[in-house]
């Protein structure tokens, strides 16, 4: 039996393991100290720890990965995406070690590994490219001069990578020097290469990419296109296939161009040719010499397994079909579920997944997840939790199915973008197919809305919190009759306060036992609630005669916790506050700026006693492969800087002491 080593982690590693096993292969995996209990390790037949949590010391360490492959008896190595997937040195190391690299030839990776070099090759092949600069001279003076020549706005991009790392839009010459420095730092951290290219920034373009596949026998095809225009921070959020409202003639021309691009570099395996499309035409952006995160939407409309194709091509087999055999059936959409807070600039979140439940994979729904309930989302890797996908006979049905699947997904313990995703795909402009790379910015106010504050779900949460609080009290002295939560007191029915903080701010509910269940009251209003909430969160409650089915999850912390309710495709999440514990707490000292998450300080821009203006960058924190600027909340004085460049900090650590300027 042959063995395939997965040199990756997360949902793609789980996905590769599933396909490899179905093909009769033995599956091996590598993992870091942080991933000892990860889902991809559990999905493998055998696994080996290769180092500490930082990717540079584990997943990006080529000798360690090669050594692990040999020790585990691997015949093939699949790099997935990210990490070493587009690293020519890694592909060559596999080859030198007698391992079959499941990916394109080293020469193809090298050709497309540099965005600058790739554009030059495409120009030679007659493929249209975006005007820009991709020269070897990387001095600040040259980059600034080239940006001025191209004309603002321009887009800075890391020459060696993708995924939005090291990518910045620059609108004026006044800001370009600082932005170049930040982009170079981020590119170096992500790819070990700080080189930049500059492109003309196109207004309201679409991001359309073609999935290409080639074998070592000279055959090359495309499996149609995906629209990946809905992005934030230049990272894709929602992807779909086929692209909506794309002219058939343009679609055919772009598909042929994508195949031409693949043939121009002697490609073999799975690849993606990415184009930017505007009213004037289409332009080559880059070619990803690997599988893409969004590849499942292509699988859903073409009925293929692209991972299986990759393995077969790596074995030396021919493509299983010709271009004429690859049709399109229906429509598919993917939403990336991230641990992040959209209301705080999509700040990545860390913590424990107290609850993670997905709807059954039926009715066109597909879930690709790399984490499980009770797993930790840490600072070292991408914060994506899962890809939630839906297929429909047409685009409208696919949207409706995905919207319902998102509504039925339960995730609690940290902030996520799940409700934000629901608002994106339900937005009238998205439903109309009016998408472009500025979609999120253009509709920021609509997407930031918290949605309807559903009273019925809030009442369910109040009952769940009240019963949770009673159970917590009873557990302290289970033998005491005064602690039994059966509703009896010498002064009448037991009443428990549920203090919820949600879209309308802090609201207090009193939950009292009644013969039929509970009476929930707020001021002069009251509601009758009956039914059950099972130990696993299964909910069957009737509120004033209306029956609601769904699930409830209540988590607890020192001064309260969170309450999440899902029912009939609707979701509500509240912070609940322990009124006893909260009364004894106090806010942190005024003027303290704390670390919003664990990470590394990569730049300190101020010193003690410095006067700064509101919005000025005080320092830069690197976490989850991204840089996050900590800015001044107002005009004022930095009274003390508590951290130095290079320091690792935990969430909540004091970074800067700040004294706001007194109001006139």
């Amino acid at each position: 039996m042959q063995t395939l080593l997965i040199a990756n982690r997360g949902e793609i590693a789980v996905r590769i393991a599933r396909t490899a096993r179905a093909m009769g292969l033995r599956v091996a995996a590598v993992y870091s100290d942080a991933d000892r209990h990860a889902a991809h390790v559990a999905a493998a037949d055998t696994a080996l720890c290769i180092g500490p949590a930082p990717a540079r010391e584990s997943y990006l360490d080529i000798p360690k990965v090669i050594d692990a492959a040999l020790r585990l008896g691997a015949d093939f190595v699949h790099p997935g995406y990210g990490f070493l997937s587009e690293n020519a040195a890694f592909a060559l190391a596999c080859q030198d070690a007698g391992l079959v690299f499941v990916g394109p030839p080293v020469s193809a990776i090298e050709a497309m590994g540099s965005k600058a070099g790739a554009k030059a090759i495409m120009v030679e092949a007659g493929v249209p490219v975006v005007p820009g600069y991709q020269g070897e001279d990387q001095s600040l003076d040259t980059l600034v001069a080239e940006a001025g020549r191209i004309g603002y706005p321009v887009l800075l991009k890391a020459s060696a990578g993708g995924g939005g790392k090291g990518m910045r839009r620059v609108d004026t010459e006044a800001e370009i020097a600082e932005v170049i420095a930040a982009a170079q730092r981020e590119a170096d951290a992500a790819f070990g290469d700080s080189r930049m290219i500059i492109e003309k920034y196109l207004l309201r373009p679409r991001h359309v990419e073609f999935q290409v596949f080639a074998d070592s026998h000279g055959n090359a095809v495309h499996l149609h296109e995906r629209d990946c225009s809905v992005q934030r921070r230049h990272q894709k959020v929602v992807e779909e296939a086929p692209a909506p409202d794309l002219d058939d003639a343009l679609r055919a021309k772009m598909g042929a161009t994508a195949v031409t691009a693949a043939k121009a570099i002697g490609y073999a395996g799975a690849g993606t040719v990415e184009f930017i499309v505007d009213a004037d035409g289409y332009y080559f952006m880059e070619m990803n010499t690997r599988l893409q995160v969004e590849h499942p939407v292509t699988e859903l409309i073409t009925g293929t397994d692209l991972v299986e194709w990759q393995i077969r091509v790596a074995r030396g087999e021919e493509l299983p079909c010709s271009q004429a055999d690859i049709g399109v059936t229906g429509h598919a959409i993917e939403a990336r579920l991230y641990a992040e807070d959209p209301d705080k600039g999509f700040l990545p979140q860390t913590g424990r997944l107290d609850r993670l439940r997905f709807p059954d994979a039926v009715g066109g729904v597909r879930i690709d997840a790399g984490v499980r309930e009770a797993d930790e989302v840490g600072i070292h890797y991408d914060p994506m939790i899962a890809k939630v996908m839906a297929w429909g006979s047409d685009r409208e049905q696919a949207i409706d199915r995905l919207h319902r699947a998102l509504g039925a997904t339960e995730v609690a313990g940290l902030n996520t973008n799940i409700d934000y995703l629901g608002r994106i795909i339900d937005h009238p402009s998205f439903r109309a197919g009016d998408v472009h790379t500025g979609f999120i910015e253009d509709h920021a106010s609509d997407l930031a809305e918290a949605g309807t504050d559903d009273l019925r779900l809030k009442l369910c949460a109040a009952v769940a919190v009240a019963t949770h609080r009673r159970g917590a009290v009873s557990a302290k002295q289970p033998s005491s009759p005064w602690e039994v939560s059966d509703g009896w007191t010498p002064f009448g029915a037991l009443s428990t306060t549920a203090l919820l903080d949600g879209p309308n701010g802090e609201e207090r509910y009193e939950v009292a036992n009644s013969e039929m269940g509970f009476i929930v009251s707020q001021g002069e209003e009251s509601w009758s609630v009956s039914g059950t909430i099972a130990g696993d969160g299964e909910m069957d409650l009737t509120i004033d005669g209306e029956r609601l089915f769904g699930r409830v999850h209540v988590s607890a912390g020192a001064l309260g916790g969170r309450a999440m309710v899902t029912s009939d495709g609707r979701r509500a999440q509240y912070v609940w506050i322990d009124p006893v514990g909260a009364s004894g707490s106090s806010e942190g000292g005024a003027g303290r700026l704390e670390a919003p998450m664990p990470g590394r300080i990569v730049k300190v821009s101020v010193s003690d006693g410095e006067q700064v203006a509101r919005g000025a960058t005080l320092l830069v924190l690197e976490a989850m492969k991204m840089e996050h600027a900590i800015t001044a909340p107002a005009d004022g004085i930095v009274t003390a800087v508590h951290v130095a460049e290079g320091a690792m900090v935990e969430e909540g650590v004091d970074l800067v002491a700040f004294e706001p300027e007194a109001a006139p």
Side-chain angles (χ1 to χ4, degrees):
M1 179 183 293
Q2 292 184 311
T3 297
L4 180 140
L5 177 88
I6 305 168
N8 214 297
R9 66 178 303 279
E11 49 79 30
I12 184 58
V14 175
R15 162 67 207 286
I16 294 168
R18 185 171 63 244
T19 292
R21 278 188 166 181
M23 295 179 70
L25 296 173
R26 176 173 171 264
V27 178
V30 292
Y31 62 92
S32 71
D33 289 339
D35 279 341
R36 189 169 299 275
H37 303 293
H40 80 277
V41 177
D45 296 301
T46 184
L48 187 66
C49 182
I50 57 172
R56 286 181 180 271
E57 301 175 48
S58 51
Y59 295 106
L60 289 174
D61 191 316
I62 293 176
K64 286 182 178 179
V65 175
I66 296 296
D67 179 66
L70 296 175
R71 289 177 61 184
L72 295 173
D75 302 284
F76 303 88
V77 175
H78 198 307
Y81 44 68
F83 291 145
L84 297 171
S85 61
E86 294 179 285
N87 189 305
F90 178 59
L92 183 59
C94 289
Q95 179 179 304
D96 290 344
L99 301 164
V100 177
F101 179 74
V102 183
V106 173
S107 58
I109 299 176
E110 290 176 335
M112 294 294 103
S114 164
K115 288 186 174 67
K119 289 182 72 173
I121 292 172
M122 292 302 111
V123 169
E124 182 70 22
V127 176
V129 299
V130 179
Y133 173 75
Q134 51 272 348
E136 290 298 320
D137 186 347
Q138 292 285 301
S139 67
L140 179 61
D141 288 344
T142 296
L143 294 178
V144 171
E146 288 297 328
R149 177 187 63 80
I150 295 165
Y152 294 95
V154 297
L155 189 65
L156 292 174
K157 299 171 73 173
S159 179
K165 307 298 187 300
M167 186 180 293
R168 299 284 196 282
R169 172 179 170 172
V170 188
D171 292 300
T172 66
E173 185 175 352
E175 61 182 317
I176 192 167
E178 183 177 349
V179 176
I180 286 173
Q184 287 176 328
R185 284 196 307 272
E186 194 170 276
D188 186 58
F191 313 113
D193 188 336
S194 64
R195 289 176 300 161
M196 294 281 113
I197 68 171
I198 308 174
E199 292 180 349
K200 178 67 179 174
Y201 188 89
L202 303 178
L203 300 176
R204 290 182 63 86
R206 293 174 65 179
H207 180 138
V208 178
E209 61 188 33
F210 275 75
Q211 177 71 61
V212 294
F213 233 103
D215 60 29
S216 57
H217 302 278
N219 303 306
V221 299
H222 69 77
L223 289 93
H224 305 286
E225 83 282 0
R226 301 182 286 255
D227 191 300
C228 308
S229 299
V230 180
Q231 306 175 1
R232 56 102 176 97
R233 290 179 175 172
H234 306 293
Q235 289 185 307
K236 301 163 187 174
V237 178
V238 176
E239 305 99 349
E240 58 183 307
D245 298 326
L246 191 66
D247 178 76
D248 286 341
L250 179 60
R251 174 181 282 117
K253 189 174 182 180
M254 291 174 68
T257 300
V259 173
T260 296
K263 289 182 175 180
I265 58 170
Y267 203 75
T272 304
V273 181
E274 300 193 351
F275 298 104
I276 200 81
V277 182
D278 68 3
D280 296 325
Y282 68 98
Y283 309 93
F284 171 86
M285 285 198 302
E286 61 184 342
M287 182 177 183
N288 291 296
T289 54
R290 55 173 169 82
L291 210 57
Q292 292 281 87
V293 177
E294 58 275 14
H295 75 274
V297 293
T298 295
E299 294 180 326
L300 288 170
I301 65 167
T302 59
T304 57
D305 184 329
L306 297 182
V307 174
E308 181 178 344
W309 279 34
Q310 283 187 297
I311 296 171
R312 293 194 180 282
V313 167
R315 282 175 166 174
E317 298 179 23
E318 292 191 46
L319 293 178
C321 57
S322 65
Q323 188 68 65
D325 300 321
I326 305 172
V328 171
T329 302
H331 200 96
I333 306 179
E334 171 185 297
R336 300 190 189 188
L337 175 57
Y338 280 99
E340 64 182 16
D341 190 341
D343 295 329
K344 294 182 179 178
F346 303 99
L347 192 69
Q349 303 291 290
T350 59
R352 183 178 185 272
L353 287 163
D354 292 332
R355 192 175 192 86
L356 184 62
R357 307 285 175 87
F358 297 104
D360 293 335
V362 295
V365 173
R366 170 174 165 176
I367 308 293
D368 282 10
V371 291
R372 299 162 296 181
E373 189 168 285
D375 282 353
E376 292 281 339
V377 177
I379 67 168
H380 298 287
Y381 313 117
D382 189 273
M384 188 167 69
I385 295 171
K387 299 182 299 195
V388 183
M389 297 159 278
W391 175 92
S393 58
D394 54 32
R395 187 171 185 267
E396 183 177 5
Q397 185 182 56
I399 292 173
D400 289 342
R401 284 177 167 176
L402 180 56
H403 195 270
R404 187 165 186 84
L406 291 170
T409 297
E410 302 174 62
V411 55
L414 39 70
N415 289 328
T416 74
N417 66 338
I418 192 164
D419 292 325
Y420 191 83
L421 293 171
R423 293 195 291 274
I424 288 175
I425 65 171
D426 202 35
H427 193 280
S429 293
F430 183 87
R431 283 189 173 270
D434 182 16
V435 293
H436 53 89
T437 57
F439 179 91
I440 285 179
E441 289 79 6
D442 281 5
H443 301 291
S445 58
D446 295 340
L447 299 177
E449 292 175 359
T452 303
D453 194 15
D454 195 303
L455 175 62
R456 295 163 298 177
L457 300 189
K458 191 185 301 180
L459 295 175
C460 293
V463 170
V465 168
T467 54
H468 174 87
R469 288 192 62 217
R470 293 178 189 177
V473 170
S474 300
K476 295 177 182 177
Q477 299 184 44
S479 61
S480 170
W482 304 104
E483 299 290 355
V484 176
S485 57
D486 60 359
W488 182 89
T489 77
F491 308 105
L494 176 67
S495 180
T496 304
T497 299
L499 194 57
L500 305 179
D501 189 6
N504 291 337
E506 194 174 292
E507 297 183 75
R508 181 183 294 267
Y509 292 86
E510 299 297 330
V511 181
N513 285 61
S514 70
E515 291 184 3
M516 299 300 293
F518 304 96
I519 298 295
V520 183
S521 59
Q522 183 189 48
E524 299 298 318
E525 291 189 89
S526 63
W527 301 266
S528 173
V529 181
S530 61
T532 59
I533 298 176
D536 65 352
E538 189 84 21
M539 179 184 77
D540 181 357
L541 294 179
T542 299
I543 301 175
D544 285 348
E546 181 181 352
R547 198 169 181 183
L548 285 85
F549 302 96
R551 300 189 70 85
V552 178
H553 177 72
V554 178
S555 61
L559 300 177
R562 296 174 187 245
M564 181 189 67
V565 183
T566 56
S567 176
D568 191 25
R570 296 164 296 164
R571 178 196 350 274
Q573 182 164 271
Y574 304 92
V575 172
W576 68 270
I577 303 165
D578 184 338
V580 176
S583 65
S585 66
S586 62
E587 294 184 3
R592 296 165 53 224
L593 295 178
E594 301 176 345
M597 65 176 66
R600 183 172 68 92
I601 304 299
V602 297
K603 184 179 181 183
V604 176
S605 303
V606 292
S607 55
D608 295 359
E610 187 171 336
Q611 181 87 32
V612 295
R614 178 178 181 176
T617 297
L618 306 181
L619 51 84
V620 178
L621 175 73
E622 181 188 71
M624 293 181 172
K625 301 189 292 184
M626 298 291 286
E627 289 191 355
H628 310 279
I630 307 299
T631 60
D635 294 345
I637 297 174
V638 175
T639 57
V641 178
H642 299 303
V643 293
E645 290 184 5
M648 295 296 297
V649 297
E650 295 297 322
E651 180 178 357
V653 166
D654 288 349
L655 302 176
V656 173
F658 180 80
E659 184 177 319
E661 191 175 274

